[in-house]
Amino acid sequence: MLTRTDLPDDPVTLTVTGAEGHQHTLTVAREVGGGVQLACSCAMFSREAWCRHAVDVLCMRLRALGVADDALDFALESAVIGTRAEDVAHDLDRALIAYGRALQRFDASRSASLETDVLETMGALARDLADAAAALADAATRFRRALAAAPDGIVP
């Protein structure tokens, strides 16, 4: 178990490369009481109070974001591990993956055929997509609420 003296005194600041190729700065700091302060410089985080970069950082997917520094990796792990921020980020990550897969299955099976079995399959895929979208909306809402629940973006 980590003690307060094991936690970094200064925020962990990372420069990550997003899927679109732009660089963004994320700052993560462990707060007293197990909260996490989180900020990202990207427009989506400013607009929607979450972004894929923040989810990936909280899920410790640094190498995928172009960060290959073991010291940063350790500092971030010390700041995030065992927090609610980590939990809600993993929930949102799973929901994003499930939604993406449901969307791919729907797109791959799209057909203009009027055959009964094809229409039934499309209906089942559409229901799966709707369920995945609803689960994603719920996970995104929980993530945003957790970040907004405390002052300065602190996640309890």
PDB file of all heavy atoms in Angstrom, residues 120-146:
ATOM      1  N   GLU A 120     -33.654  -9.136 -39.980  1.00  0.00           N
ATOM      2  CA  GLU A 120     -33.604  -9.519 -38.565  1.00  0.00           C
ATOM      3  C   GLU A 120     -32.194  -9.348 -37.996  1.00  0.00           C
ATOM      4  O   GLU A 120     -32.020  -8.889 -36.862  1.00  0.00           O
ATOM      5  CB  GLU A 120     -34.087 -10.952 -38.383  1.00  0.00           C
ATOM      6  CG  GLU A 120     -35.586 -11.100 -38.598  1.00  0.00           C
ATOM      7  CD  GLU A 120     -36.058 -12.549 -38.598  1.00  0.00           C
ATOM      8  OE1 GLU A 120     -35.201 -13.472 -38.563  1.00  0.00           O
ATOM      9  OE2 GLU A 120     -37.274 -12.755 -38.642  1.00  0.00           O
ATOM     10  N   THR A 121     -31.193  -9.717 -38.802  1.00  0.00           N
ATOM     11  CA  THR A 121     -29.803  -9.538 -38.375  1.00  0.00           C
ATOM     12  C   THR A 121     -29.491  -8.064 -38.185  1.00  0.00           C
ATOM     13  O   THR A 121     -28.871  -7.669 -37.181  1.00  0.00           O
ATOM     14  CB  THR A 121     -28.836 -10.159 -39.399  1.00  0.00           C
ATOM     15  OG1 THR A 121     -29.086 -11.560 -39.464  1.00  0.00           O
ATOM     16  CG2 THR A 121     -27.387  -9.912 -39.026  1.00  0.00           C
ATOM     17  N   MET A 122     -29.925  -7.225 -39.128  1.00  0.00           N
ATOM     18  CA  MET A 122     -29.683  -5.790 -39.008  1.00  0.00           C
ATOM     19  C   MET A 122     -30.388  -5.215 -37.784  1.00  0.00           C
ATOM     20  O   MET A 122     -29.842  -4.351 -37.090  1.00  0.00           O
ATOM     21  CB  MET A 122     -30.127  -5.052 -40.281  1.00  0.00           C
ATOM     22  CG  MET A 122     -29.274  -5.352 -41.502  1.00  0.00           C
ATOM     23  SD  MET A 122     -27.499  -5.083 -41.257  1.00  0.00           S
ATOM     24  CE  MET A 122     -27.436  -3.360 -40.867  1.00  0.00           C
ATOM     25  N   GLY A 123     -31.583  -5.701 -37.501  1.00  0.00           N
ATOM     26  CA  GLY A 123     -32.310  -5.255 -36.317  1.00  0.00           C
ATOM     27  C   GLY A 123     -31.567  -5.621 -35.037  1.00  0.00           C
ATOM     28  O   GLY A 123     -31.455  -4.807 -34.113  1.00  0.00           O
ATOM     29  N   ALA A 124     -31.042  -6.846 -34.977  1.00  0.00           N
ATOM     30  CA  ALA A 124     -30.286  -7.287 -33.807  1.00  0.00           C
ATOM     31  C   ALA A 124     -29.005  -6.458 -33.649  1.00  0.00           C
ATOM     32  O   ALA A 124     -28.648  -6.054 -32.530  1.00  0.00           O
ATOM     33  CB  ALA A 124     -29.953  -8.772 -33.913  1.00  0.00           C
ATOM     34  N   LEU A 125     -28.326  -6.199 -34.762  1.00  0.00           N
ATOM     35  CA  LEU A 125     -27.105  -5.390 -34.708  1.00  0.00           C
ATOM     36  C   LEU A 125     -27.412  -3.949 -34.301  1.00  0.00           C
ATOM     37  O   LEU A 125     -26.640  -3.332 -33.556  1.00  0.00           O
ATOM     38  CB  LEU A 125     -26.378  -5.428 -36.055  1.00  0.00           C
ATOM     39  CG  LEU A 125     -25.752  -6.776 -36.426  1.00  0.00           C
ATOM     40  CD1 LEU A 125     -25.274  -6.752 -37.869  1.00  0.00           C
ATOM     41  CD2 LEU A 125     -24.624  -7.116 -35.477  1.00  0.00           C
ATOM     42  N   ALA A 126     -28.540  -3.428 -34.772  1.00  0.00           N
ATOM     43  CA  ALA A 126     -28.936  -2.064 -34.393  1.00  0.00           C
ATOM     44  C   ALA A 126     -29.253  -1.993 -32.900  1.00  0.00           C
ATOM     45  O   ALA A 126     -28.890  -1.016 -32.226  1.00  0.00           O
ATOM     46  CB  ALA A 126     -30.136  -1.612 -35.218  1.00  0.00           C
ATOM     47  N   ARG A 127     -29.894  -3.035 -32.353  1.00  0.00           N
ATOM     48  CA  ARG A 127     -30.171  -3.063 -30.915  1.00  0.00           C
ATOM     49  C   ARG A 127     -28.872  -3.142 -30.125  1.00  0.00           C
ATOM     50  O   ARG A 127     -28.711  -2.464 -29.104  1.00  0.00           O
ATOM     51  CB  ARG A 127     -31.091  -4.241 -30.576  1.00  0.00           C
ATOM     52  CG  ARG A 127     -32.557  -3.988 -30.960  1.00  0.00           C
ATOM     53  CD  ARG A 127     -33.476  -5.081 -30.445  1.00  0.00           C
ATOM     54  NE  ARG A 127     -33.234  -6.372 -31.079  1.00  0.00           N
ATOM     55  CZ  ARG A 127     -33.703  -6.750 -32.264  1.00  0.00           C
ATOM     56  NH1 ARG A 127     -34.455  -5.926 -32.969  1.00  0.00           N
ATOM     57  NH2 ARG A 127     -33.440  -7.943 -32.751  1.00  0.00           N
ATOM     58  N   ASP A 128     -27.932  -3.973 -30.596  1.00  0.00           N
ATOM     59  CA  ASP A 128     -26.626  -4.057 -29.929  1.00  0.00           C
ATOM     60  C   ASP A 128     -25.922  -2.704 -29.937  1.00  0.00           C
ATOM     61  O   ASP A 128     -25.332  -2.293 -28.930  1.00  0.00           O
ATOM     62  CB  ASP A 128     -25.728  -5.102 -30.614  1.00  0.00           C
ATOM     63  CG  ASP A 128     -26.197  -6.522 -30.389  1.00  0.00           C
ATOM     64  OD1 ASP A 128     -27.060  -6.750 -29.507  1.00  0.00           O
ATOM     65  OD2 ASP A 128     -25.698  -7.414 -31.105  1.00  0.00           O
ATOM     66  N   LEU A 129     -25.986  -2.012 -31.070  1.00  0.00           N
ATOM     67  CA  LEU A 129     -25.362  -0.694 -31.187  1.00  0.00           C
ATOM     68  C   LEU A 129     -26.040   0.303 -30.252  1.00  0.00           C
ATOM     69  O   LEU A 129     -25.365   1.089 -29.572  1.00  0.00           O
ATOM     70  CB  LEU A 129     -25.415  -0.201 -32.630  1.00  0.00           C
ATOM     71  CG  LEU A 129     -24.779   1.148 -32.926  1.00  0.00           C
ATOM     72  CD1 LEU A 129     -23.307   1.182 -32.522  1.00  0.00           C
ATOM     73  CD2 LEU A 129     -24.937   1.489 -34.408  1.00  0.00           C
ATOM     74  N   ALA A 130     -27.356   0.256 -30.172  1.00  0.00           N
ATOM     75  CA  ALA A 130     -28.080   1.155 -29.278  1.00  0.00           C
ATOM     76  C   ALA A 130     -27.728   0.877 -27.821  1.00  0.00           C
ATOM     77  O   ALA A 130     -27.529   1.816 -27.027  1.00  0.00           O
ATOM     78  CB  ALA A 130     -29.586   1.020 -29.499  1.00  0.00           C
ATOM     79  N   ASP A 131     -27.627  -0.377 -27.454  1.00  0.00           N
ATOM     80  CA  ASP A 131     -27.242  -0.735 -26.082  1.00  0.00           C
ATOM     81  C   ASP A 131     -25.829  -0.241 -25.767  1.00  0.00           C
ATOM     82  O   ASP A 131     -25.569   0.288 -24.688  1.00  0.00           O
ATOM     83  CB  ASP A 131     -27.320  -2.248 -25.870  1.00  0.00           C
ATOM     84  CG  ASP A 131     -28.742  -2.775 -25.857  1.00  0.00           C
ATOM     85  OD1 ASP A 131     -29.688  -1.970 -25.728  1.00  0.00           O
ATOM     86  OD2 ASP A 131     -28.909  -4.011 -25.989  1.00  0.00           O
ATOM     87  N   ALA A 132     -24.904  -0.430 -26.716  1.00  0.00           N
ATOM     88  CA  ALA A 132     -23.518   0.016 -26.520  1.00  0.00           C
ATOM     89  C   ALA A 132     -23.460   1.534 -26.427  1.00  0.00           C
ATOM     90  O   ALA A 132     -22.695   2.086 -25.624  1.00  0.00           O
ATOM     91  CB  ALA A 132     -22.626  -0.495 -27.645  1.00  0.00           C
ATOM     92  N   ALA A 133     -24.262   2.221 -27.221  1.00  0.00           N
ATOM     93  CA  ALA A 133     -24.289   3.686 -27.170  1.00  0.00           C
ATOM     94  C   ALA A 133     -24.832   4.175 -25.833  1.00  0.00           C
ATOM     95  O   ALA A 133     -24.305   5.132 -25.248  1.00  0.00           O
ATOM     96  CB  ALA A 133     -25.129   4.237 -28.324  1.00  0.00           C
ATOM     97  N   ALA A 134     -25.857   3.524 -25.324  1.00  0.00           N
ATOM     98  CA  ALA A 134     -26.413   3.911 -24.023  1.00  0.00           C
ATOM     99  C   ALA A 134     -25.401   3.664 -22.903  1.00  0.00           C
ATOM    100  O   ALA A 134     -25.235   4.506 -22.009  1.00  0.00           O
ATOM    101  CB  ALA A 134     -27.704   3.135 -23.753  1.00  0.00           C
ATOM    102  N   ALA A 135     -24.700   2.539 -22.964  1.00  0.00           N
ATOM    103  CA  ALA A 135     -23.672   2.238 -21.956  1.00  0.00           C
ATOM    104  C   ALA A 135     -22.530   3.248 -22.039  1.00  0.00           C
ATOM    105  O   ALA A 135     -22.000   3.684 -21.008  1.00  0.00           O
ATOM    106  CB  ALA A 135     -23.148   0.817 -22.135  1.00  0.00           C
ATOM    107  N   LEU A 136     -22.154   3.635 -23.250  1.00  0.00           N
ATOM    108  CA  LEU A 136     -21.098   4.630 -23.433  1.00  0.00           C
ATOM    109  C   LEU A 136     -21.539   5.984 -22.879  1.00  0.00           C
ATOM    110  O   LEU A 136     -20.768   6.665 -22.195  1.00  0.00           O
ATOM    111  CB  LEU A 136     -20.719   4.753 -24.908  1.00  0.00           C
ATOM    112  CG  LEU A 136     -19.677   5.816 -25.254  1.00  0.00           C
ATOM    113  CD1 LEU A 136     -18.389   5.614 -24.471  1.00  0.00           C
ATOM    114  CD2 LEU A 136     -19.406   5.809 -26.762  1.00  0.00           C
ATOM    115  N   ALA A 137     -22.762   6.368 -23.151  1.00  0.00           N
ATOM    116  CA  ALA A 137     -23.269   7.643 -22.631  1.00  0.00           C
ATOM    117  C   ALA A 137     -23.247   7.647 -21.100  1.00  0.00           C
ATOM    118  O   ALA A 137     -22.852   8.641 -20.480  1.00  0.00           O
ATOM    119  CB  ALA A 137     -24.680   7.904 -23.151  1.00  0.00           C
ATOM    120  N   ASP A 138     -23.639   6.533 -20.495  1.00  0.00           N
ATOM    121  CA  ASP A 138     -23.624   6.441 -19.032  1.00  0.00           C
ATOM    122  C   ASP A 138     -22.195   6.535 -18.487  1.00  0.00           C
ATOM    123  O   ASP A 138     -21.941   7.236 -17.509  1.00  0.00           O
ATOM    124  CB  ASP A 138     -24.262   5.126 -18.567  1.00  0.00           C
ATOM    125  CG  ASP A 138     -25.758   5.090 -18.788  1.00  0.00           C
ATOM    126  OD1 ASP A 138     -26.366   6.153 -19.035  1.00  0.00           O
ATOM    127  OD2 ASP A 138     -26.332   3.980 -18.723  1.00  0.00           O
ATOM    128  N   ALA A 139     -21.266   5.802 -19.111  1.00  0.00           N
ATOM    129  CA  ALA A 139     -19.869   5.816 -18.647  1.00  0.00           C
ATOM    130  C   ALA A 139     -19.255   7.202 -18.813  1.00  0.00           C
ATOM    131  O   ALA A 139     -18.527   7.674 -17.932  1.00  0.00           O
ATOM    132  CB  ALA A 139     -19.050   4.771 -19.406  1.00  0.00           C
ATOM    133  N   ALA A 140     -19.552   7.867 -19.924  1.00  0.00           N
ATOM    134  CA  ALA A 140     -19.023   9.221 -20.154  1.00  0.00           C
ATOM    135  C   ALA A 140     -19.601  10.202 -19.136  1.00  0.00           C
ATOM    136  O   ALA A 140     -18.886  11.071 -18.624  1.00  0.00           O
ATOM    137  CB  ALA A 140     -19.330   9.675 -21.575  1.00  0.00           C
ATOM    138  N   THR A 141     -20.866  10.052 -18.814  1.00  0.00           N
ATOM    139  CA  THR A 141     -21.498  10.911 -17.814  1.00  0.00           C
ATOM    140  C   THR A 141     -20.860  10.703 -16.446  1.00  0.00           C
ATOM    141  O   THR A 141     -20.555  11.672 -15.737  1.00  0.00           O
ATOM    142  CB  THR A 141     -23.014  10.642 -17.747  1.00  0.00           C
ATOM    143  OG1 THR A 141     -23.586  10.963 -19.024  1.00  0.00           O
ATOM    144  CG2 THR A 141     -23.686  11.468 -16.653  1.00  0.00           C
ATOM    145  N   ARG A 142     -20.616   9.442 -16.060  1.00  0.00           N
ATOM    146  CA  ARG A 142     -19.970   9.161 -14.773  1.00  0.00           C
ATOM    147  C   ARG A 142     -18.559   9.750 -14.730  1.00  0.00           C
ATOM    148  O   ARG A 142     -18.137  10.308 -13.721  1.00  0.00           O
ATOM    149  CB  ARG A 142     -19.932   7.652 -14.505  1.00  0.00           C
ATOM    150  CG  ARG A 142     -21.258   7.070 -14.060  1.00  0.00           C
ATOM    151  CD  ARG A 142     -21.123   5.645 -13.567  1.00  0.00           C
ATOM    152  NE  ARG A 142     -20.537   4.744 -14.538  1.00  0.00           N
ATOM    153  CZ  ARG A 142     -21.211   4.115 -15.502  1.00  0.00           C
ATOM    154  NH1 ARG A 142     -22.510   4.307 -15.630  1.00  0.00           N
ATOM    155  NH2 ARG A 142     -20.593   3.306 -16.329  1.00  0.00           N
ATOM    156  N   PHE A 143     -17.833   9.630 -15.846  1.00  0.00           N
ATOM    157  CA  PHE A 143     -16.473  10.178 -15.914  1.00  0.00           C
ATOM    158  C   PHE A 143     -16.497  11.692 -15.753  1.00  0.00           C
ATOM    159  O   PHE A 143     -15.762  12.261 -14.948  1.00  0.00           O
ATOM    160  CB  PHE A 143     -15.826   9.765 -17.237  1.00  0.00           C
ATOM    161  CG  PHE A 143     -14.373  10.124 -17.354  1.00  0.00           C
ATOM    162  CD1 PHE A 143     -13.401   9.331 -16.783  1.00  0.00           C
ATOM    163  CD2 PHE A 143     -13.967  11.242 -18.058  1.00  0.00           C
ATOM    164  CE1 PHE A 143     -12.041   9.643 -16.892  1.00  0.00           C
ATOM    165  CE2 PHE A 143     -12.624  11.570 -18.181  1.00  0.00           C
ATOM    166  CZ  PHE A 143     -11.664  10.761 -17.594  1.00  0.00           C
ATOM    167  N   ARG A 144     -17.367  12.359 -16.522  1.00  0.00           N
ATOM    168  CA  ARG A 144     -17.454  13.822 -16.448  1.00  0.00           C
ATOM    169  C   ARG A 144     -17.903  14.282 -15.062  1.00  0.00           C
ATOM    170  O   ARG A 144     -17.383  15.251 -14.531  1.00  0.00           O
ATOM    171  CB  ARG A 144     -18.399  14.359 -17.522  1.00  0.00           C
ATOM    172  CG  ARG A 144     -17.814  14.324 -18.920  1.00  0.00           C
ATOM    173  CD  ARG A 144     -18.669  15.080 -19.898  1.00  0.00           C
ATOM    174  NE  ARG A 144     -20.041  14.616 -19.923  1.00  0.00           N
ATOM    175  CZ  ARG A 144     -20.531  13.774 -20.833  1.00  0.00           C
ATOM    176  NH1 ARG A 144     -19.765  13.293 -21.787  1.00  0.00           N
ATOM    177  NH2 ARG A 144     -21.788  13.410 -20.795  1.00  0.00           N
ATOM    178  N   ARG A 145     -18.861  13.578 -14.478  1.00  0.00           N
ATOM    179  CA  ARG A 145     -19.330  13.953 -13.134  1.00  0.00           C
ATOM    180  C   ARG A 145     -18.229  13.774 -12.106  1.00  0.00           C
ATOM    181  O   ARG A 145     -18.101  14.580 -11.193  1.00  0.00           O
ATOM    182  CB  ARG A 145     -20.546  13.116 -12.748  1.00  0.00           C
ATOM    183  CG  ARG A 145     -21.809  13.588 -13.388  1.00  0.00           C
ATOM    184  CD  ARG A 145     -22.987  12.790 -12.904  1.00  0.00           C
ATOM    185  NE  ARG A 145     -24.193  13.227 -13.570  1.00  0.00           N
ATOM    186  CZ  ARG A 145     -25.277  12.499 -13.709  1.00  0.00           C
ATOM    187  NH1 ARG A 145     -25.313  11.278 -13.191  1.00  0.00           N
ATOM    188  NH2 ARG A 145     -26.331  12.958 -14.338  1.00  0.00           N
ATOM    189  N   ALA A 146     -17.470  12.709 -12.241  1.00  0.00           N
ATOM    190  CA  ALA A 146     -16.383  12.469 -11.292  1.00  0.00           C
ATOM    191  C   ALA A 146     -15.346  13.576 -11.388  1.00  0.00           C
ATOM    192  O   ALA A 146     -14.827  14.033 -10.371  1.00  0.00           O
ATOM    193  CB  ALA A 146     -15.729  11.106 -11.546  1.00  0.00           C
TER     194      ALA A 146
END
